[in-house]
Amino acid sequence: MSWSRFANILQTRPLDRETKLMLIDLVASVDDPKLEEEIFSFVFAWEEAQAQTQRELVEGIKRITHEYELAQTALNAGNQKATLSIADDLARQKRIDDLRTRITSL
Amino acid sequence: MPIRPRTPPSETSPAAPPPDAAPASPPPVEASPAPSADTISDGDLAAALELVKRDGATRESIRRGLGVSRERAASLLAEMEAKGIIGSAPRPGKKREILVTTWPPETAPVQKVDSEISEEVASYASDIIIHLLAGGEPSTEAFERELGLSKDDAETIMASLVNMGVISALTDGKHEVLIKPLTREEFTNTQKKIAGLSWDEIDERVAKREFTVIQVMAIDGMPGSVEKEDESEPSADERNELFNKAVENVIKAGEARLTTLAHGLVLTATQVKDFLAEMEHRGIIGPTRRGKPREILIKTWPAETAPDTKPELAKKTTPILTRAGGAAADLDNTKEAKPAPAEPPPAESTPPETPPAEPSPEETPPETPPTPPAPPETPHATPERSKWESITAGFRGAFDRFASKFRGEVQASDEKEYKASWGDVAKNAATGFLSVAASYTGVKILADLPQWLYQKYWTNPAERQRIKDALAAKETELGETTEPTAIDQKKAKLEEAINASKFLTKEKKAELLAKLHTTVEEYEAKDKTLRTERNEKIAKLLDQAIETRIKNTQILKEGLNSALMVTGLSAMRGVAYGAVAVYERHQEVMTSPERRMQYWKEMTYRGFTETAHNLIGGKADTWTGKGMNFVKGATNVLRAAGFADLAIAEWTTEGRSFSSVIETSLKAWEDKGAAAGWENIKAPWERLGHLGEYAKSAVTGSEPAPGATPETSGGAAGGGAPGSPEAATAAGTAGAAGVAAAESAPHVEVPEAQIEAGLVKKGDGILKILERQGVEGKSALEAAREAGIVRAAGDTRLTTEAIGRLSVFAEAKPEGGIEIKFFDTETDKVLTLAEAREAGFTYESGTVPGELATESEVAAHVAETAEILKDSADVPNDLLGGTFHLYADAEGNFTSIDVGDGDTLTRMKEALQELTRQGHGDSPEAKFIFEQYRQLLLTTEGAQVDDATPPPEGVEQATQRVTEQRTAESETSADGEPLRRFKGEAGKVKFVYDKETGAVKDAFLPAYTPGKAEISSSLREWGLTTKQVRNHFFEGSARTHMDGTAIDTSHAERYPEPNPTESRAGFPIQSPENDYRQLTREVTKLSRQESLLQEMEENGYRSTPEYARLKMETEQLERTLSRQMDRQFHIKERPI
């Protein structure tokens, strides 16, 4: 049982005020430590469920971002190839011109 | 049905109040109470009451608030208890109740007023039930409008109806009617249950909710409380006859109310309401008036010129049963007893004062058990009255609790303000997850997420726009959009090269440029598709996660709501609104973050608990226990499945066990054919259920739930997208395994290695830990200053609690620099400095940054135990090459030592050796160091150095001949077990024992920072005010003693300016602030220790070694402080 954790939930979790009020209602009206602990367990379990959902969300985002990055890398590679061919073309023209000059000077 | 008598309070005594309905108000007190203690007046008690209302009913609160001695405070407390102002001394750890709101009692006739209100409102019980059964709206507005209740009464009764389970708690802004007419079978069953019971027993069972209001009212013949089976229309003659009778009832009674007009008639609830409306329409009675009864406009009936019955109204009415004999008999024989219009209305010959014909044994059919007779020993408690009282008692119990305690304290508008719609929950959930997503994807992606996601959760376009704008602003701020893409750069370069090429023909250039543009366009199109796909996927993921969070939150909410319902606590919600409002308001205004949590626990929560506690009678009640067991076992499930209303209705209808309620509800749910809907919510619920089991086992240390095999950690992961049914089912079916796996992962994404590196070890300080992690000393110091860890007048230190548990690490800030963070490895939470302090990992002390406070250091605080030794001018205070420092206070008295890095004992020895070598072996400096050395040796090693001063042969020899302090006596507490710690109202004290002998070698109060009120009250014991002490330290040349004599200011170097060239720049060795703080800490500590001693005595620890140790240390502290007070303020003796 952790008061600071409970207070932290009330302070920081995305809960509407009504739910917070209900939490306080219950905890405040029970003076049996065991029951209080049960309530805490329930609330903490909820927090854990939320944390798990969040972890799964983060994992999902990481996975999607990774997939995107892979696809992006592939796209970049393709694009690189295309731009390289243009650059090659440029260079080829230069080489042709060089050859032409060399031939002329022979 | 007779007119219900408004039972005066004295007559209600036979009705057993509910067990949890002990009046919250104090028992009636004589108008002129004779104080039992001569010296305690009503004025004293009134002042003390105000204090205990504010700070709690403790001796300390009275002592501090009134500035009186402990004895006087104890007397006041005892007198308050004797007079019923506060409850009796609770068991340890629990608070006393405050039983009255004002004192003396003659100025607070709360009880009387509330009782009158209760009776008045309770007398409307039948009207309200009829109103609700007839489909009337369950709202204060409707009660005012249609029943003539005052606003206050209507609000009060609403709360009671909720409390009694007649209507639901406020859900989505409205209440739901939970009662319904009994079926014939239910009615018969109730009759059987009641048979053989005395009315007292029935009353008791009503109070325990084994019978519901509607059951009792049905037995009592309440119109509409039993389902009618005969749907045939009554003839016009029949109806007229009944109407005439109803009018006569009203005229005779002089009251135009639903119950009155139905007296002696068997009508449905709807018919009763229709009759009332018709009476108004026909000018027999006046219209409804808020807060006032209807007027009766005629004196005789039938009036000679009475208009005809309106045909439309006649059509509206449903069949009416005439009452033939007792109500129960009638109801039980409805099928046989068809309306008999030919029969004369029995009520014609029945005067209204006649009690209703109760189902007497003679009238009851043979197969129906007789209804219980009135107990002969209580002649006034006729069956009818007892039944009535059983109902009113239910109301009154709630009223007494509700009205007398917080009526007027909480406004109805507060309740209205806190309606949380689905939209609120959704927005909360969505906002939370958007910020999570932003931290992983950057706000740019978030800003680009599809519009539908925002539209779904923020229906208001303006709100939506605000969020988008905020994201865009953040995006700009972070510069996420300013970077040119690689492809743009490449394109620009190639374009430049093509255009600049001397070797390309114009045509070739155009061809290549076209090719380049096509390539880039294709790339951009594909890239856009990829990003759109990614954004769509993330949006869906977010949507699913938000949905899951909403569902989970709703499960939580519904579960809590059910818990409140079934435990009968819902009427207290108003108090909670107030409590939270107070909490939130104070949270906003609190300027001292470290006090926030303490404030919450000590003030808001405690205040509310006490109020709430009073409301439920101030004692643990089995009903709450039962209710909570029900909650943990079943209600969450039921609520989650959306059929808890049904369950509650079933439960309140029959006195069934919880398990049977679940079975009934599940069956009812299946019968509804709503399996598909159940599937949607099953998985999240299962997950929650398993989480609950896991959390429970984790908390209690019991065996995990079946299936909780942490090895199968893959259970929850990869079961589909978060929030999806697959994921939820996977998590659910994997049971606690998935949960365990999730649990094992840190909640906060902090690298393990970083946590490990920052873990506090013995001898660590905050700065030292940071430096160990490679943070430059200067940066660490700057960050510590910024965080308020290191201040000009002190610093934050780590306690022993932090060792092996707290991790301190630095994190780079986006704008540069570092931020110091605390991480609790047990809870996997990143803590703020205030939270770390609250959790006991840090405390405020000293001027030396980053030094670890050991238990011995706390216990053997220099100023408390050491002789006051003055700084001598010719002996250096910086030793061992400037790494060992001695500090003194404003008067030149040594206060503390910074031993620098290394083993403390060794460093002290080395410093002493250095002083001896320089010929200062017997200087005050050496004595001071030696005293600290001796204390440390005693506390850490249990070794006693006999010498009081550094021995001539040197400290090493002295150390060699230390004798371990072993006590022959058994140094354990009375029951043979060491006390280890004692927690009282004034605080707690920890004891340190010798590992070998078990002897108590230290008693110390864990480090804390005293509050203003505590400082003020403690100083008052010395006849000082905070202002005086502050002036004394801060007013420089104007400093004088309390008797007006000038203070010796020969120590000109007392408050030197900081030397920027020194490594500890910015941390003056001494300052007025330090001196002030040190004195106030000692004063408050003495006060606390004395209070704790007294509490230990009261708890029977007087003969324990722990008590002896604390007493010894307290006496030492008092001596030291007395010397200081004499020196600083010329106070020779403590006034209190």
Side-chain angles (χ1 to χ4, degrees):
Chain A
M1 190 174 75
S2 162
W3 272 107
S4 55
R5 187 173 173 187
F6 182 69
N8 191 45
I9 288 173
L10 291 178
Q11 285 176 321
T12 60
R13 297 295 117 183
L15 280 173
D16 58 282
R17 299 176 88 174
E18 193 179 49
T19 310
K20 289 182 186 178
L21 296 172
M22 286 194 280
L23 279 171
I24 293 171
D25 268 352
L26 271 178
V27 175
S29 54
V30 171
D31 60 359
D32 178 349
K34 283 184 185 170
L35 291 177
E36 193 175 278
E37 198 168 291
E38 291 291 346
I39 297 168
F40 274 42
S41 300
F42 177 53
V43 177
F44 293 163
W46 167 81
E47 194 197 18
E48 289 308 316
Q50 299 295 74
Q52 187 172 336
T53 308
Q54 182 164 320
R55 280 196 290 277
E56 286 170 2
L57 170 70
V58 169
E59 286 304 315
I61 288 176
K62 280 181 179 171
R63 180 173 46 77
I64 291 168
T65 312
H66 181 63
E67 283 169 7
Y68 168 75
E69 280 167 0
L70 285 179
Q72 182 83 353
T73 308
L75 181 64
N76 279 343
N79 177 259
Q80 183 78 0
K81 214 173 166 183
T83 49
L84 272 177
S85 77
I86 295 171
D88 278 353
D89 226 348
L90 260 174
R92 196 181 306 121
Q93 291 301 327
K94 187 175 181 296
R95 209 177 314 127
I96 290 168
D97 195 70
D98 284 348
L99 283 171
R100 190 178 293 131
T101 310
R102 209 177 291 169
I103 290 163
T104 314
S105 64
L106 276 175
Chain B
M1 176 170 275
I3 298 165
R4 300 301 184 192
R6 294 197 186 168
T7 320
S10 59
E11 293 176 27
T12 63
S13 53
D20 60 344
S25 296
V29 182
E30 292 298 321
S32 55
S36 60
D38 293 340
T39 53
I40 296 176
S41 66
D42 275 344
D44 294 336
L45 292 174
L49 174 60
E50 288 309 308
L51 280 168
V52 300
K53 275 170 24 185
R54 194 188 67 194
D55 301 335
T58 66
R59 187 182 50 213
E60 282 305 299
S61 66
I62 295 174
R63 186 179 73 80
R64 287 182 194 150
L66 296 180
V68 295
S69 68
R70 283 182 189 80
E71 290 71 23
R72 172 75 176 172
S75 303
L76 278 166
L77 209 59
E79 186 67 7
M80 289 172 85
E81 183 182 335
K83 287 191 180 298
I85 300 170
I86 57 172
S88 54
R91 62 180 188 273
K94 297 290 169 189
K95 309 291 180 193
R96 282 178 190 260
E97 295 170 64
I98 301 169
L99 301 174
V100 300
T101 51
T102 55
W103 191 264
E106 57 267 27
T107 59
V110 177
Q111 175 104 359
K112 187 169 175 292
V113 169
D114 286 341
S115 294
E116 283 170 2
I117 290 167
S118 300
E119 286 156 28
E120 178 65 28
V121 178
S123 73
Y124 277 86
S126 303
D127 290 57
I128 287 164
I129 300 292
I130 294 171
H131 167 80
L132 296 175
L133 286 171
E137 189 189 336
S139 70
T140 51
E141 173 73 15
F143 293 169
E144 284 177 67
R145 189 181 59 237
E146 297 186 28
L147 302 177
L149 284 164
S150 71
K151 189 167 188 283
D152 280 352
D153 289 347
E155 284 171 0
T156 307
I157 207 163
M158 280 297 287
S160 294
L161 290 172
V162 173
N163 200 28
M164 294 171 72
V166 174
I167 59 173
S168 71
L170 200 64
T171 309
D172 292 335
K174 59 183 181 182
H175 296 276
E176 221 176 303
V177 179
L178 301 176
I179 55 166
K180 58 180 182 180
L182 298 186
T183 61
R184 184 147 302 280
E185 189 189 347
E186 286 168 338
F187 175 75
T188 310
N189 287 341
T190 308
Q191 275 190 318
K192 285 177 185 169
K193 281 183 187 173
I194 285 181
L197 295 178
S198 72
W199 287 110
D200 283 343
E201 287 170 330
I202 293 172
D203 288 342
E204 277 176 20
R205 295 195 179 191
V206 169
K208 289 179 184 171
R209 291 203 186 178
E210 289 176 22
F211 292 127
T212 63
V213 171
I214 199 70
Q215 280 176 316
V216 178
M217 287 191 159
I219 295 296
D220 200 31
M222 167 70 71
S225 55
V226 177
E227 278 179 3
K228 244 176 52 56
E229 294 176 1
D230 186 350
E231 294 298 324
S232 64
E233 290 280 332
S235 69
D237 286 346
E238 287 168 357
R239 189 182 181 285
N240 278 342
E241 206 167 349
L242 284 165
F243 181 78
N244 289 341
K245 176 73 183 110
V247 176
E248 281 174 17
N249 283 342
V250 167
I251 294 170
K252 282 178 184 172
E255 277 188 322
R257 284 168 45 177
L258 296 172
T259 319
T260 316
L261 75 84
H263 169 65
L265 305 172
V266 177
L267 301 167
T268 66
T270 312
Q271 284 166 340
V272 178
K273 283 195 87 174
D274 283 346
F275 272 14
L276 201 71
E278 188 175 339
M279 285 182 199
E280 182 186 339
H281 189 80
R282 293 168 71 168
I284 299 165
I285 58 172
T288 54
R289 299 179 298 174
R290 284 174 189 267
K292 289 181 182 174
R294 290 170 185 261
E295 276 184 287
I296 300 168
L297 304 174
I298 59 166
K299 292 186 177 173
T300 57
W301 188 262
E304 286 173 7
T305 55
D308 293 337
T309 305
K310 296 283 174 186
E312 64 273 19
L313 282 169
K315 275 181 190 173
K316 268 174 68 184
T317 54
T318 45
I320 297 165
L321 297 175
T322 51
R323 187 182 184 96
D330 279 346
L331 290 162
D332 208 40
N333 293 301
T334 307
K335 276 186 182 172
E336 292 76 20
K338 297 274 181 190
E343 279 183 27
E348 278 177 7
S349 57
T350 310
E353 292 76 18
T354 309
E358 281 305 321
S360 68
E362 301 86 66
E363 291 169 334
T364 309
E367 67 277 12
T368 309
T371 52
E377 66 279 10
T378 54
H380 65 282
T382 61
E384 175 208 327
R385 179 174 290 180
S386 293
K387 278 185 238 170
W388 172 244
E389 287 193 352
S390 68
I391 297 161
T392 54
F395 276 105
R396 189 172 294 112
F399 296 144
D400 284 348
R401 296 196 305 275
F402 183 74
S404 69
K405 271 295 166 189
F406 64 91
R407 183 169 168 268
E409 292 173 18
V410 179
Q411 301 303 310
S413 55
D414 291 337
E415 192 161 350
K416 284 171 192 161
E417 196 182 327
Y418 296 128
K419 286 188 293 184
S421 62
W422 178 90
D424 295 329
V425 176
K427 279 174 205 168
N428 275 331
T431 308
F433 275 144
L434 278 188
S435 62
V436 169
S439 63
Y440 282 90
T441 63
V443 290
K444 179 156 169 53
I445 292 181
L446 223 52
D448 291 340
L449 286 181
Q451 188 71 5
W452 62 260
L453 182 74
Y454 295 96
Q455 279 175 348
K456 183 170 177 182
Y457 296 107
W458 288 277
T459 47
N460 182 340
E463 202 174 21
R464 213 156 51 223
Q465 192 53 44
R466 189 175 52 76
I467 290 165
K468 301 284 268 182
D469 289 347
L471 287 172
K474 191 74 185 165
E475 187 185 329
T476 313
E477 180 191 322
L478 296 175
E480 289 190 8
T481 53
T482 55
E483 288 289 322
T485 60
I487 191 74
D488 285 340
Q489 290 176 5
K490 239 180 236 177
K491 183 187 170 194
K493 273 187 183 175
L494 273 175
E495 267 180 347
E496 196 183 332
I498 292 167
N499 286 325
S501 175
K502 296 180 288 183
F503 314 107
L504 294 177
T505 60
K506 249 185 190 175
E507 292 73 25
K508 191 65 187 171
K509 278 185 181 175
E511 184 198 331
L512 284 179
L513 282 172
K515 193 177 172 185
L516 179 63
H517 289 151
T518 311
T519 305
V520 171
E521 272 174 17
E522 278 176 5
Y523 171 84
E524 283 177 345
K526 283 180 186 168
D527 183 48
K528 191 179 174 187
T529 310
L530 279 178
R531 271 190 285 119
T532 308
E533 277 175 14
R534 179 199 62 182
N535 292 350
E536 279 288 346
K537 281 180 186 172
I538 289 178
K540 280 181 187 161
L541 206 58
L542 266 170
D543 186 32
Q544 287 165 345
I546 293 167
E547 290 278 3
T548 306
R549 175 170 274 187
I550 294 168
K551 281 177 192 163
N552 283 350
T553 304
Q554 281 172 337
I555 287 169
L556 174 78
K557 199 169 161 173
E558 296 296 325
L560 296 172
N561 204 26
S562 298
L564 288 164
M565 280 295 300
V566 298
T567 50
L569 300 171
S570 47
M572 296 191 304
R573 296 176 70 177
V575 186
Y577 293 135
V580 169
V582 168
Y583 168 58
E584 292 187 348
R585 188 164 62 247
H586 281 271
Q587 198 183 27
E588 283 169 17
V589 300
M590 287 293 277
T591 52
S592 174
E594 67 271 20
R595 285 189 56 211
R596 195 174 294 160
M597 190 72 77
Q598 191 64 20
Y599 185 89
W600 152 246
K601 273 161 66 174
E602 291 298 316
M603 302 297 293
T604 310
Y605 172 73
R606 191 178 67 187
F608 171 61
T609 306
E610 284 172 2
T611 311
H613 205 161
N614 288 341
L615 289 170
I616 59 171
K619 289 174 184 172
D621 81 47
T622 52
W623 179 247
T624 303
K626 277 161 73 179
M628 284 313 303
N629 287 333
F630 181 47
V631 171
K632 74 180 176 189
T635 313
N636 300 332
V637 185
L638 303 177
R639 267 293 186 182
F643 55 88
D645 283 346
L646 175 64
I648 290 167
E650 289 286 335
W651 178 45
T652 51
T653 304
E654 299 286 338
R656 294 175 181 170
S657 68
F658 298 134
S659 56
S660 75
V661 173
I662 298 169
E663 282 167 17
T664 309
S665 303
L666 285 171
K667 189 172 182 312
W669 181 254
E670 284 166 10
D671 290 347
K672 277 175 153 183
W678 165 242
E679 284 303 318
N680 286 337
I681 48 179
K682 183 174 70 173
W685 169 73
E686 281 178 353
R687 179 158 52 170
L688 256 189
H690 286 300
L691 281 164
E693 285 173 27
Y694 178 79
K696 186 182 165 191
S697 64
V699 169
T700 59
S702 60
E703 286 297 311
T709 49
E711 307 85 67
T712 57
S713 58
S724 68
E726 297 76 24
T729 310
T733 50
V739 177
E743 180 75 18
S744 64
H747 302 165
V748 182
E749 301 292 329
V750 181
E752 283 292 332
Q754 200 173 7
I755 292 171
E756 189 59 37
L759 209 59
V760 178
K761 296 171 189 159
K762 194 176 178 188
D764 268 349
I766 293 173
L767 297 185
K768 190 173 170 185
I769 294 171
L770 295 176
E771 284 174 13
R772 190 165 67 219
Q773 293 172 58
V775 180
E776 272 184 36
K778 196 178 165 190
S779 306
L781 198 57
E782 274 175 12
R785 275 182 191 159
E786 197 178 316
I789 291 168
V790 173
R791 303 172 298 277
D795 67 334
T796 302
R797 295 184 184 189
L798 298 167
T799 65
T800 46
E801 299 281 329
I803 296 175
R805 176 168 169 180
L806 188 75
S807 180
V808 183
F809 59 91
E811 202 169 81
K813 289 193 288 188
E815 66 269 24
I818 60 165
E819 193 176 356
I820 300 172
K821 296 215 164 171
F822 300 92
F823 184 82
D824 183 352
T825 54
E826 277 193 20
T827 59
D828 281 358
K829 298 270 181 205
V830 173
L831 307 175
T832 62
L833 180 59
E835 286 166 346
R837 191 182 294 121
E838 173 64 23
F841 295 133
T842 65
Y843 74 99
E844 304 309 312
S845 182
T847 57
V848 185
E851 188 183 338
L852 180 71
T854 60
E855 286 188 352
S856 59
E857 184 186 2
V858 178
H861 194 274
V862 172
E864 294 157 17
T865 53
E867 181 194 349
I868 299 298
L869 292 159
K870 293 252 181 194
D871 189 4
S872 53
D874 56 337
V875 181
N877 285 0
D878 289 342
L879 299 163
L880 303 180
T883 59
F884 186 104
H885 307 277
L886 290 172
Y887 299 120
D889 65 13
E891 302 300 312
N893 306 309
F894 286 115
T895 55
S896 60
I897 301 175
D898 174 14
V899 297
D901 292 340
D903 179 68
T904 308
L905 283 171
T906 311
R907 298 275 296 166
M908 284 182 172
K909 268 196 290 185
E910 287 169 359
L912 280 169
Q913 284 163 352
E914 185 174 315
L915 283 172
T916 308
R917 280 198 301 273
Q918 292 171 2
H920 301 307
D922 56 351
S923 65
E925 282 75 3
K927 283 182 187 169
F928 180 72
I929 297 170
F930 186 73
E931 174 61 24
Q932 302 316 304
Y933 177 83
R934 220 165 58 92
Q935 291 282 349
L936 193 56
L937 207 58
L938 175 65
T939 51
T940 57
E941 309 294 329
Q944 177 73 53
V945 179
D946 296 333
D947 310 72
T949 54
E953 69 268 31
V955 72
E956 282 182 22
Q957 287 81 349
T959 312
Q960 283 169 5
R961 58 181 173 79
V962 297
T963 53
E964 288 202 353
Q965 187 184 30
R966 298 175 195 279
T967 49
E969 59 188 295
S970 169
E971 293 221 337
T972 54
S973 59
D975 59 2
E977 287 297 315
L979 187 59
R980 300 209 180 280
R981 67 173 63 194
F982 174 80
K983 193 175 176 187
E985 285 178 6
K988 61 182 175 183
V989 56
K990 288 184 181 178
F991 300 98
V992 180
Y993 300 85
D994 186 284
K995 284 176 189 168
E996 289 184 9
T997 65
V1000 188
K1001 61 180 188 182
D1002 259 315
F1004 67 94
L1005 274 64
Y1008 69 96
T1009 306
K1012 281 181 185 171
E1014 192 181 352
I1015 291 171
S1016 173
S1017 67
S1018 301
L1019 285 173
R1020 211 177 295 136
E1021 291 179 15
W1022 295 88
L1024 292 170
T1025 63
T1026 312
K1027 195 178 174 188
Q1028 282 173 329
V1029 178
R1030 285 193 75 84
N1031 287 346
H1032 172 80
F1033 285 115
F1034 287 87
E1035 284 195 0
S1037 58
R1039 294 171 61 200
T1040 57
H1041 292 297
M1042 291 299 289
D1043 58 5
T1045 56
I1047 289 174
D1048 172 21
T1049 53
S1050 56
H1051 279 271
E1053 302 299 318
R1054 178 65 193 157
Y1055 302 133
E1057 286 297 314
N1059 183 350
T1061 61
E1062 288 181 6
S1063 61
R1064 294 189 187 281
F1067 310 105
I1069 292 168
Q1070 290 302 343
S1071 65
E1073 182 64 42
N1074 262 357
D1075 291 338
Y1076 168 74
R1077 200 172 59 173
Q1078 187 166 325
L1079 179 80
T1080 53
R1081 280 174 67 90
E1082 285 165 12
V1083 168
T1084 52
K1085 186 174 180 181
L1086 175 66
S1087 182
R1088 278 200 182 201
Q1089 284 190 197
E1090 285 174 341
S1091 297
L1092 280 167
L1093 270 175
Q1094 191 163 342
E1095 287 186 56
M1096 283 185 80
E1097 275 182 38
E1098 288 167 5
N1099 284 281
Y1101 292 117
R1102 194 188 178 101
S1103 58
T1104 60
E1106 287 86 355
Y1107 174 86
R1109 177 76 201 189
L1110 181 62
K1111 191 168 185 204
M1112 183 197 80
E1113 295 196 0
T1114 306
E1115 285 167 356
Q1116 274 184 344
L1117 178 58
E1118 191 184 14
R1119 277 197 298 275
T1120 312
L1121 205 49
S1122 295
R1123 282 199 296 271
Q1124 207 171 339
M1125 285 295 182
D1126 184 13
R1127 197 172 54 249
Q1128 299 267 8
F1129 300 98
H1130 285 203
I1131 294 172
K1132 303 287 180 198
E1133 195 178 346
R1134 185 154 53 141
I1136 297 179

